[in-house]
């Protein structure tokens, strides 16, 4: 697709949509963001938007490029790949944004990333952890650690702490994020010499997992490893305890489990669940304490990993715009690649392939009483 073709497509979209743009003053610097703001997975996108907006208020105390206001124009993907692509086309073709944030999940990035890359507009994913994201093209960045950096830490801790020798594995086989997480789990389990008793699959919109869980119960695993987003993950936890799987059989999840909503939905059934995380709310440093305090004051709830990653990312992007010296996509891309900063997630820079370079902040957390705490 070339730019003239994109423009034609965008005009058609604009004609079909009565409201698509947020007015901005001529002197403002407007960037775009595509997130899941409605639908079942809005719990991720809303947290990300909250993180962006909290950081935006801080950035705009001084502004960017000598005092200009930084503005984020949001598009709601609702978790739909086509809607995410349409949002990107509006933001690039009509709003002429020099940079995109998002989208929320890896499935969407595999659809939107090629559009941004072809148009030579940098796109920064804050929550896309599947393998192959930055391989889409040289304009695709991410600030979220890929599953391949986090899952091995989780499994090694579980093996050392609980002597896990045999597991059952479950994953959603209809989305790229869950499949990618499964691939990392499988490779790491093999490397650690942990036996896989069975591998069970399901759909990301399924709500009945009794057949898979009944089979798993009969095999008597030490733990159950699951790669899924939080909605099916919560259903699996509730289903497991409902059929009498012993609470001593721990669940080990990927990044989709790392949401306070897991405890909200699954309640006591989630107790004992283990997850790796690049950020933790009780992390003891001044920047994180300020972030958590300000977030609670603004939104009347605790932040999660996705909000923290978004908060740091907006500061990284604002700094790149300032160092670029102009709201110019090519100059911002070059400035992003040279990023060196320290935020609530810890030290941050990009690898040559535009992934996070520092994995030192990964911790393993455990659900107890509906809240995550560091595994001790």
């Amino acid at each position: 697709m070339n730019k003239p073709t994109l423009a034609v497509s965008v005009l058609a979209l604009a004609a079909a949509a009565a409201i698509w743009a947020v007015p901005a003053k001529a002197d403002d610097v407007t960037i775009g963001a595509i997130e899941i703001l409605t639908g079942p997975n809005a719990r991720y996108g809303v947290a990300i938007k909250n993180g962006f907006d909290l950081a935006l208020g801080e950035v705009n105390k001084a502004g960017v490029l000598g005092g200009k206001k930084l503005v984020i124009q949001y598009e709601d993907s609702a978790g739909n790949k086509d809607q995410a692509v349409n949002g990107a086309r509006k933001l690039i073709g009509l709003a002429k944004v020099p940079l995109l944030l998002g989208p929320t999940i890896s499935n969407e990035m595999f659809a939107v990333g090629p559009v941004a890359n072809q148009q030579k507009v940098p796109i920064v994913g804050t929550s896309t952890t599947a393998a192959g994201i930055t391989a889409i093209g040289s304009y695709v960045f991410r600030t979220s650690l890929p599953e391949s950096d986090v899952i091995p830490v989780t499994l090694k801790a579980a093996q050392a702490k609980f002597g896990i020798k045999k597991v059952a594995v479950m994953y959603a086989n209809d989305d790229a994020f869950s499949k990618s997480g499964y691939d990392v789990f499988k490779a790491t389990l093999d490397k650690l010499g942990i036996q896989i008793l069975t591998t069970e699959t399901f759909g990301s919109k399924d709500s009945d997992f009794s057949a898979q869980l009944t089979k798993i119960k009969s095999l008597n695993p030490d733990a159950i490893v699951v790669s899924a987003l939080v909605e099916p993950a919560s259903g699996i936890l509730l289903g497991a305890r409902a059929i009498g799987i012993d609470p001593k059989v721990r669940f080990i999840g990927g990044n989709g489990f790392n949401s306070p909503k897991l405890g909200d939905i699954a309640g006591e059934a989630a107790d004992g669940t283990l997850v790796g995380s690049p950020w933790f709310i009780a992390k003891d440093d001044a920047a994180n304490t300020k972030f958590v305090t300000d977030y609670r004051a603004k939104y009347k709830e605790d932040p999660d990993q996705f909000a923290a990653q978004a908060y740091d990312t907006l500061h990284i992007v604002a700094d790149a715009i300032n160092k670029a010296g102009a709201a110019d996509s090519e100059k911002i891309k070059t400035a992003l690649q040279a990023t060196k900063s320290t935020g609530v997630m810890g030290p941050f820079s990009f690898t040559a392939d535009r992934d996070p370079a520092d994995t030192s902040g990964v911790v393993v957390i455990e659900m107890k009483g509906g809240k995550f705490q560091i595994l001790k």
Side-chain angles (χ1 to χ4, degrees):
M1 182 182 295
N2 53 33
K3 289 191 176 183
T5 302
L6 176 68
V8 171
S9 299
V10 165
L11 289 172
L13 288 167
I19 300 174
W20 59 271
V22 176
K25 295 179 181 177
D27 287 343
D28 293 345
V29 175
T30 301
I31 59 176
I34 306 159
E35 303 294 349
I36 302 175
L37 301 178
T38 58
N41 290 317
R43 63 193 75 255
Y44 299 115
V46 170
I48 291 168
K49 182 177 183 297
N50 288 348
F52 285 151
D53 289 346
L54 182 62
L56 188 65
E58 297 173 2
V59 167
N60 277 331
K61 289 179 180 177
V64 294
L65 301 178
K68 294 181 179 180
K69 184 179 179 182
L70 183 64
V71 175
I72 302 175
Q73 182 170 323
Y74 287 98
E75 290 289 337
D76 177 14
S77 72
N80 180 286
K81 288 190 293 185
D82 293 336
Q83 194 164 320
V85 169
N86 288 342
R89 287 174 173 162
K90 291 176 186 176
L91 291 167
I92 296 171
L94 286 176
K96 307 293 184 186
V97 300
L99 177 140
L100 291 173
L101 297 165
T104 305
I105 59 178
S106 298
N107 279 2
E108 297 174 308
M109 182 61 102
F110 284 120
V112 171
V115 175
N117 197 67
Q118 190 170 36
Q119 297 301 316
K120 298 185 177 182
V121 172
I123 182 167
V124 186
T126 69
S127 55
T128 45
T129 57
I133 291 293
T134 53
I136 293 171
S138 63
Y139 289 79
V140 180
F141 294 72
R142 65 173 158 191
T143 54
S144 50
L145 283 172
E147 295 272 62
S148 56
D149 284 336
V150 178
I151 284 174
V153 176
T154 313
L155 287 177
K156 287 177 184 175
Q159 185 183 42
K161 179 79 174 177
F162 304 108
I164 290 170
K165 297 179 180 177
K166 56 184 189 304
V167 301
V169 177
M170 300 179 71
Y171 73 97
N173 61 0
D174 60 354
D175 78 86
F177 160 77
S178 298
K179 175 61 168 60
S180 176
Y182 160 72
D183 290 340
V184 178
F185 271 125
K186 172 71 167 57
T188 308
L189 289 166
D190 289 344
K191 186 175 181 179
L192 295 176
I194 298 175
Q195 182 185 4
I196 298 174
L197 299 172
T198 185
T199 299
E200 302 294 324
T201 61
F202 54 88
S204 56
K205 295 183 179 179
D206 288 356
S207 58
D208 182 359
F209 309 95
S210 56
Q212 298 96 323
L213 290 168
T214 298
K215 178 180 178 181
I216 288 171
K217 183 183 178 184
S218 72
L219 297 172
N220 193 30
D222 297 328
I224 301 172
V225 171
V226 184
S227 181
L229 295 169
V230 71
E231 289 280 350
S234 301
I236 288 169
L237 293 172
L238 288 166
R241 302 317 178 199
I243 67 166
I245 291 180
D246 194 323
K248 292 180 182 177
V249 178
R250 290 177 177 269
F251 278 85
I252 302 170
N255 198 46
F257 276 58
N258 192 8
S259 167
K261 297 297 181 185
L262 189 76
D264 293 345
I265 299 171
E268 292 181 355
D271 278 1
T273 299
L274 303 177
V275 183
S277 178
W279 173 86
F280 186 61
I281 192 168
K283 180 182 176 185
D284 186 19
D285 72 49
N288 191 57
T289 299
K290 180 181 184 305
F291 163 68
V292 173
T293 300
D294 291 349
Y295 191 99
R296 285 171 172 164
K298 186 175 178 68
Y299 301 111
K300 313 304 180 190
E301 63 180 15
D302 286 346
D304 62 12
Q305 168 200 337
F306 302 96
Q309 290 173 159
Y311 176 84
D312 272 1
T313 300
L314 200 281
H315 280 290
I316 289 168
V317 164
D319 185 59
I321 292 171
N322 279 327
K323 288 180 177 173
D328 175 87
S329 294
E330 204 62 40
K331 292 179 179 178
I332 293 172
K333 173 178 178 285
T334 300
L336 278 173
Q337 190 70 71
T339 290
K340 289 187 184 299
S341 67
T342 299
V344 300
M345 308 287 293
F348 186 89
S349 60
F350 287 107
T351 67
D353 293 326
R354 303 165 310 285
D355 283 315
D358 195 311
T359 62
S360 61
V362 177
V363 295
V364 179
I365 54 179
E366 176 185 24
M367 181 71 77
K368 281 189 176 180
K371 302 286 185 183
F372 280 118
Q373 57 186 263
I374 291 180
L375 177 67
K376 296 180 179 177

